[in-house]
Amino acid sequence: MKIFEACADSLLGHGVDVMFGLMGDANMLYVANYRERGGQFVAVVHESSAVAMADSWSRSTGRVGVATVTHGPGLSNTMTSLMEAVRSRSQVLLLTGDTPAEPTHFQRMDISSFAQAAGAGYDKVHRRETLGRDLNRAFQRVVAERRPVVLNIPVDLMLEDAGDQAPVSPAVHSSPSVPAINDLDAALGLVASAKRPIVLAGYGAVLSRADEALLALAETLAAPVATSVLAKDMFRGHPSNLGICGSLSHSVAAAAIAESDLIIAFGASLNVYTTFHGELLADKHVVQVDIDPGRFGWYLPASEYIAGDAAVVADSIREALDAIDHTPSHPGWLQSVQQHLVDYRPEAEYKDHTAVDTVDVRTACLRLDDVLPSDRTMVSDIGRFTNAVWPRIEVPDARRFTTMGGFGAIGLGLAGAIGAAIARPDELTIAVVGDGGFMMHLAELTTAVRLQLPLLVLVFNDNAYGAEHTKLQRYGADPDHSLNMWPEFGPIAEAIGAGSMSVRKIEELDELRHITHDLRGPYVVDIKLDPEVDILA
Ligand SMILES: Cc1ncc(C[n+]2csc(CCOP(=O)(O)OP(=O)(O)O)c2C)c(N)n1
Ligand SMILES: [Mg+2]
């Protein structure tokens, strides 16, 4: 067996049944072998998408996503999506390799420095004998360090004899630690004496599957529940659900958060969006619970910190409260918040700006939430449109939403949605993108066509870099510099082999009820918006 065969062998042994990538000298032999032996190789148009797909696939499945690219430019094309995976703490293994041992090779590049610049881990297969061991270790590091690892398998090794290799040893998740009860003492004092506490879930709570533990704690405390954007819809449908906490809160949630005297945050970084630049936490106590103490106080100092898994800590706090027969001091507060939530009407929160040939993005989102099938996964690009979409289009649970915005890059949403659609082929995946982000990696739509994925691409098309439109206006500069001159998206989508419609009237969205019923291939919805309508104003 040659090294390239041993490489495919090990990947299949690690249960890698799908791998994302683009071929070149450094990887083509093991990619071909992997395919011949039954592995699904998702060939992408641009290497950035390979990592974004592996990342999103991993977020959807909870497994390690694997991407493979060739040396030099193949790898340098992944920088943005690799940084996204790093910032989102995704479990991604990126395989690449050194150019031949020839200093004048024009594609040479320092892979270790590249990985370091991205914040990813780095390993190299130095000798042919250690390939199996090194792949085992790379998988283990991805899981243990919860960050991408770049593994360098030099191209010069590929045709060498593999000899005896270490057997596959699957990566193991360590179990979350239970905090010692005295770790909780100071925080318990704050929790037990709070009059109007709120339980806040972040992405760490999603990873911990802490839904029930947090709701049980909230019930003990008579506390409303809220989430960061990354835990969106974790408590969907619950009578105490405030929805997103922060700059995207609706009026009832904003009022409740302002009134509260304690936020107990589970696996939430408390970033500028969740805390509205800290304003929402001013004059109240904050208990920050995180499995990684390195995140304590990263954005803002909290009153108390508890290191531990979200579900485990929530259970421990609740049991400690039960042990002292804790009863909420102000149960009436929750009741009044719940009543306000019953009375809340999302359409009454804003003045509709639907015009003759454009729709109001907020009204469009409310309608989409209604007409799209309830079993759906949503993957978001970033841009101004997200302010309208995230609070209004819901998903059945927090594991069905993700945003490729951890590094703040536009353009990764479409590939992310393709990765999620491959992970969940039996239900609808929705890509939500702006016109700018859509155009950045439009070519990747061909991958979704080839795979016939049930993918609905909602393009919120204000014909502008809308985020910049708003900002230029606020600087007193001419916002027209942010306007785009794209061709019509419908004919482009159809030329590629996708379905399409354009939407200038709200009622036209109702067509999607039928269109999404049994979707067999991507469908692009070009939703025409007026760039002048600034929903943040
Ligand atoms: C890779 C990258 N380039 C540029 C930016 C700057 N940027 C942030 S939001 C944005 C506008 C995106 O436009 P669009 O996708 O149409 O969404 P909109 O803001 O119009 O809703 C831009 C250009 C970025 N964040 N990432
Ligand atoms: Mg735009």
Side-chain angles (χ1 to χ4, degrees), residues 255-407:
I257 294 161
E259 283 168 10
S260 75
D261 59 351
L262 170 71
I263 304 273
I264 319 170
F266 291 88
S269 67
L270 302 174
N271 66 27
V272 295
Y273 304 106
T274 309
T275 67
F276 205 54
H277 298 274
E279 249 179 64
L280 297 184
L281 301 189
D283 305 324
K284 60 186 63 145
H285 290 299
V286 177
V287 173
Q288 187 181 3
V289 180
D290 205 294
I291 203 158
D292 175 3
R295 291 163 81 88
F296 290 160
W298 176 249
Y299 290 99
L300 293 164
S303 324
E304 293 295 339
Y305 302 104
I306 305 172
D309 170 75
V312 172
V313 174
D315 283 342
S316 301
I317 295 176
R318 185 176 46 77
E319 283 157 16
L321 292 169
D322 287 347
I324 55 167
D325 286 329
H326 173 78
T327 49
S329 58
H330 288 62
W333 183 60
L334 177 64
Q335 284 159 14
S336 84
V337 170
Q338 287 181 335
Q339 188 54 52
H340 288 306
L341 287 169
V342 168
D343 298 337
Y344 166 67
R345 294 285 167 269
E347 59 282 0
E349 295 262 306
Y350 64 92
K351 185 176 166 330
D352 179 90
H353 279 87
T354 295
V356 180
D357 55 1
T358 55
V359 294
D360 185 301
V361 63
R362 294 157 294 193
T363 311
C365 289
L366 291 174
R367 192 73 157 236
L368 285 161
D369 188 53
D370 190 34
V371 301
L372 296 177
S374 48
D375 282 344
R376 59 202 191 208
T377 290
M378 186 159 88
V379 180
S380 181
D381 209 272
I382 63 159
R384 181 171 66 167
F385 71 96
T386 61
N387 297 291
V389 173
W390 292 349
R392 293 180 181 83
I393 304 184
E394 297 192 328
V395 287
D397 61 71
R399 279 171 288 279
R400 284 183 160 71
F401 171 77
T402 198
T403 168
M404 308 301 289
F407 180 45

Side-chain angles (χ1 to χ4, degrees), residues 383-385 408-410 434-437 440 462 464-468:
R384 181 171 66 167
F385 71 96
I410 66 167
D435 49 297
M440 192 172 272
D462 59 2
Y465 292 121
E468 283 65 26

